[in-house]
Amino acid sequence: MLLTRIKGPRDLDRLSQEELLQLAAEIRSFLVDAVSKTGGHLGPNLGVVELTIALHRVFDSPKDKVLFDTGHQSYVHKLLTGRQDFGNLRSKGGLSGYPSRAESDHDVIENSHASTVLGWADGLAKANEVLGREDHHVAAVIGDGALTGGMAWEALNNIAAAKDRPLVIVVNDNERSYGPTIGGLANHLATLRTTDGYERFLARGKDLLERTPVVGRPLYETLHGAKKGLKDFIAPQGMFEDLGLKYIGPINGHDVEALESALQRAKRFSGPVIVHCLTQKGRGYEPAEQDEADRFHGIGPIHPDTGLPVSTDAASWTSVFADEMVKLGKERKDIVAITAAMLQPVGLKRFADAYPDRIFDVGIAEQHAATSAAGLATGGAHPVFAVYATFLNRAFDQVLMDVALHKCGVTFVLDRAGVTGSDGASHNGMWDMSIMQVVPGLRLAAPRDAEQLRAQLREAVEVNDAPTVVRYSKGVVGPAVPAVGRIGGMDVLRTPAPEVTRPDVLIVSVGALAPMCLEIADLLDKQGISSTVVDPRWVKPVDEALAPLADAHRVVVTVEDNGRTGGVGSAVSQALRDAGVDVPLRDFGIPQRFLDHASRKEVMAEIGLTAPDIARQVTGLVAKLDGRYENEPAATVD
């Protein structure tokens, strides 16, 4: 096999065009076989095989910087840079599903949030200029979906201003992000890809005129010099050239020879160049090509021959939200939904099918989504913006200054909150509760089960004078966790034995960690330590009934799947101090560090967020209060 002989990019140089075609076929076969076992981003990588080969033949990585936005299409890049062990892809100790500096010098960007690559490329090109590295090049690959993000256009505005600073921008145009790309830019690219094209016209004209004696060559040069007007007439690509960017394309993104030719021309140019490549997401694998939803953008383990899932999961948090949104849409005509290019992943496809006039896909533009939601709310609608928890980080200013300051009734639904695991550091939803704690007037719910998700979503959309947040985990929703009582607005999940006059521990359980907190209580009970477990349901603001309840216990423990700094534990601690309640408090959560990819269970064990770990520390704390271990330090949290 040719693939096994590729140890680095320069091994590609000696391959013929026929061998490159064979290599592309081998890579596709490898990807289907490997990713069907582990799960991962299959469709995007099948679409960039030839493009990645061409990039590594034209550019000399790692001296030249080859950058990928958002990075989920870097599997082919990994294969061509000496990483062909995909057996533990996205698992603990295996390859990351995104570029990783720890894996290779060929990887530059680890952040897998979209639309950032052009900002990185602009900075790297400036560094080359400042340091006089004229033999260093920068090539940034950005999809048409990522180009819908505002950051991409902020970067383009700056890149275009430096007309003599070399930089190659490769637009990987497959008409999709997760689903089909939408918006004005998508329409413009569609025009470019469907027009018979300036480059083809000019090539034919050059061939004809150069065969014409005497006047042929001068006439061609005159036409070439007038190319701006000619291009606008034949293929309206002026949007890029009006910015000051040289445009090459559209190029067949599955023709290595044509790609190399275009990239070589772009590399030789002394300023910024856009190379527009047309690719097919899922190419070469029939189940992916026929998948209308997302072309197998991200998959779990599948049967490679059929593309069908190996196992069918039980109901997920996302599916519970999806069903409830459809019901709400039927009951209230003012309910509208917003997605940032993730209609299917966040569970809004059913709502879109039922109410197509009340769904707004804004592209990869979370900031715009939040401010547009403020406008919708001001206009009398109640918008529900569903987004991954980690991506709401990008819209903090808009949540604060546009939604909250104006007291707009907008509901933010945060999917994949807490530890998500296999997608690595940038996808763990571990910052949202800390960030949202500082927003005045905002109310934040963390449902513990499907029943509570449905109930708290309904409570959230009833609020029309402030932003609300409902956040939940990734994956399968667990069994119902019934309440045994209610104190204030909090659900009581467990009470101590009736004869206990002052229980030892109050456990404040946040969201989906309720089963873990009940397990902690069971373990403490075996040590003779009594406990009460409460679910605040709405963790911001802190329920007024919590302080007197805490005062009736010896120790307070908070357990959350959010970063410890500024999270629910911090808010509860502040509320107790404000109420004059002097009870020891221990907050258990995610340490403030970037967590390597692994399964959710493995990550939780690594950071000590498990029932046995927490129960052990709480036991030590209670023992110290009892004076049983006077010479031992108090329990701490990593």
Side-chain angles (χ1 to χ4, degrees):
M1 287 181 61
L2 287 173
L3 179 56
T4 58
R5 289 158 42 190
I6 305 299
K7 306 302 181 185
R10 299 285 55 83
D11 292 334
L12 298 169
D13 296 345
R14 60 178 178 269
L15 300 184
S16 66
Q17 288 299 318
E18 289 184 359
E19 288 174 319
L20 292 175
L21 290 175
Q22 179 185 338
L23 176 63
E26 289 181 8
I27 289 173
R28 285 196 170 89
S29 178
F30 177 95
L31 289 173
V32 171
D33 180 65
V35 182
S36 67
K37 294 183 176 72
T38 63
H41 290 98
L42 182 58
N45 287 283
L46 292 173
V48 297
V49 175
E50 291 85 0
L51 175 56
T52 310
I53 290 172
L55 281 164
H56 277 301
R57 277 171 60 90
V58 171
F59 294 96
D60 185 17
S61 178
K63 183 186 77 171
D64 295 338
K65 304 304 180 188
V66 180
L67 318 175
F68 293 90
D69 190 317
T70 63
H72 57 242
Q73 77 281 47
S74 63
Y75 294 5
V76 184
H77 164 76
K78 289 176 185 276
L79 291 173
L80 299 180
T81 52
R83 289 167 281 173
Q84 297 182 8
D85 182 2
F86 273 49
N88 291 309
L89 178 69
R90 301 168 72 241
S91 296
K92 186 176 179 65
L95 291 178
S96 167
Y98 295 91
S100 168
R101 289 179 173 181
E103 289 179 8
S104 173
D105 291 340
H106 295 279
D107 291 2
V108 181
I109 310 174
E110 296 191 7
N111 174 19
S112 49
H113 288 191
S115 309
T116 62
V117 73
L118 298 186
W120 276 91
D122 179 51
L124 286 163
K126 287 172 177 172
N128 287 341
E129 182 180 62
V130 169
L131 299 175
R133 296 190 293 238
E134 296 182 0
D135 61 337
H136 287 56
H137 302 273
V138 179
V141 181
I142 184 168
D144 53 310
L147 266 180
T148 62
M151 278 191 66
W153 290 92
E154 292 173 21
L156 280 173
N157 184 53
N158 283 271
I159 290 168
K163 301 187 185 305
D164 58 351
R165 183 182 300 133
L167 172 58
V168 178
I169 300 168
V170 179
V171 176
N172 173 32
D173 181 3
N174 61 20
E175 306 179 54
R176 288 174 168 269
S177 47
Y178 283 82
T181 308
I182 55 87
L185 173 66
N187 292 335
H188 182 82
L189 291 175
T191 301
L192 293 181
R193 76 172 74 94
T194 57
T195 303
D196 194 27
Y198 165 82
E199 299 294 345
R200 187 182 305 173
F201 172 87
L202 198 61
R204 292 173 180 170
K206 179 180 179 182
D207 182 61
L208 175 63
L209 291 172
E210 286 190 335
R211 294 201 304 267
T212 304
V214 185
V215 299
R217 184 68 193 181
L219 182 56
Y220 168 75
E221 296 296 345
T222 300
L223 286 172
H224 196 269
K227 65 180 180 180
K228 174 66 172 72
L230 194 60
K231 278 192 175 185
D232 285 349
F233 173 73
I234 298 167
Q237 48 221 357
M239 177 175 70
F240 295 115
E241 294 204 338
D242 286 346
L243 281 171
L245 298 165
K246 170 70 175 174
Y247 175 92
I248 299 175
I251 308 296
N252 180 354
H254 301 294
D255 183 333
V256 176
E257 192 169 7
L259 286 166
E260 285 188 43
S261 175
L263 291 171
Q264 288 287 7
R265 279 183 284 156
K267 182 180 177 181
R268 290 193 296 267
F269 193 65
S270 59
V273 184
I274 282 184
V275 180
H276 182 191
C277 302
L278 307 183
T279 63
Q280 180 186 10
K281 193 172 184 178
R283 185 178 177 90
Y285 183 45
E286 187 175 356
E289 291 178 353
Q290 295 180 350
D291 178 40
E292 288 300 321
D294 63 5
R295 299 289 195 270
F296 280 29
H297 179 89
I299 61 170
I302 60 172
H303 296 285
D305 294 334
T306 64
L308 296 175
V310 170
S311 62
T312 302
D313 287 335
S316 68
W317 289 95
T318 307
S319 67
V320 173
F321 162 71
D323 289 340
E324 199 63 23
M325 272 296 290
V326 173
K327 293 176 184 177
L328 282 167
K330 183 178 181 179
E331 297 167 17
R332 288 179 47 177
K333 292 184 178 180
D334 65 324
I335 296 282
V336 299
I338 302 174
T339 177
M342 299 179 72
L343 188 72
Q344 189 88 15
V346 298
L348 286 176
K349 179 65 165 62
R350 299 174 201 171
F351 185 91
D353 290 342
Y355 313 106
D357 296 333
R358 287 192 269 154
I359 183 77
F360 302 100
D361 187 342
V362 302
I364 301 177
E366 292 86 0
Q367 292 171 295
H368 168 67
T371 301
S372 178
L376 279 161
T378 301
H382 191 105
V384 176
F385 175 25
V387 61
Y388 283 8
T390 182
F391 296 147
L392 188 67
N393 303 350
R394 315 181 81 182
F396 170 71
D397 186 65
Q398 288 68 36
V399 174
L400 180 67
M401 293 300 177
D402 293 327
V403 181
L405 177 64
H406 293 86
K407 296 181 171 60
C408 294
V410 176
T411 297
F412 297 92
V413 173
L414 307 188
D415 201 326
R416 272 70 164 176
V419 171
T420 57
S422 58
D423 280 330
S426 65
H427 273 56
N428 288 314
M430 57 178 282
W431 295 280
D432 58 285
M433 289 200 288
S434 298
I435 293 172
M436 295 300 114
Q437 283 289 351
V438 304
V439 178
L442 181 142
R443 308 175 201 185
L444 196 156
R448 65 181 181 269
D449 57 24
E451 179 184 341
Q452 287 301 305
L453 170 53
R454 288 187 283 265
Q456 291 180 266
L457 177 62
R458 287 179 171 273
E459 293 169 27
V461 298
E462 289 297 324
V463 178
N464 289 316
D465 60 353
T468 52
V469 176
V470 179
R471 55 109 68 181
Y472 48 79
S473 300
K474 177 182 179 180
V476 176
V477 62
V481 181
V484 297
R486 175 69 69 97
I487 298 177
M490 302 181 296
D491 279 348
V492 180
L493 306 184
R494 177 188 173 116
T495 57
E499 63 271 14
V500 176
T501 56
R502 189 184 186 196
D504 294 308
V505 182
L506 172 63
I507 302 174
V508 180
S509 168
V510 178
L513 299 187
M516 177 195 297
C517 290
L518 290 173
E519 184 182 351
I520 293 168
D522 287 340
L523 293 172
L524 294 177
D525 188 59
K526 292 176 182 178
Q527 300 298 319
I529 298 172
S530 58
S531 63
T532 304
V533 180
V534 296
D535 171 13
R537 302 183 72 251
W538 290 85
V539 297
K540 175 180 164 55
V542 175
D543 196 293
E544 292 181 357
L546 184 60
L549 180 63
D551 200 27
H553 291 73
R554 300 175 66 203
V555 176
V556 176
V557 169
T558 63
V559 185
E560 61 187 298
D561 53 348
N562 183 79
R564 291 181 62 221
T565 302
V568 176
S570 296
V572 169
S573 177
Q574 181 175 325
L576 297 186
R577 292 196 303 271
D578 290 347
V581 176
D582 186 19
V583 175
L585 183 145
R586 291 292 180 267
D587 57 317
F588 293 89
I590 303 172
Q592 299 301 149
R593 68 173 189 259
F594 296 112
L595 305 173
D596 290 337
H597 62 278
S599 71
R600 173 179 166 84
K601 183 177 181 180
E602 288 169 333
V603 173
M604 298 285 271
E606 179 186 335
I607 62 178
L609 202 55
T610 68
D613 287 325
I614 295 172
R616 188 179 307 113
Q617 295 192 55
V618 175
T619 299
L621 177 58
V622 173
K624 184 179 180 184
L625 292 176
D626 289 341
R628 281 183 270 170
Y629 305 118
E630 294 182 358
N631 297 322
E632 292 192 6
T636 59
V637 181
D638 291 337

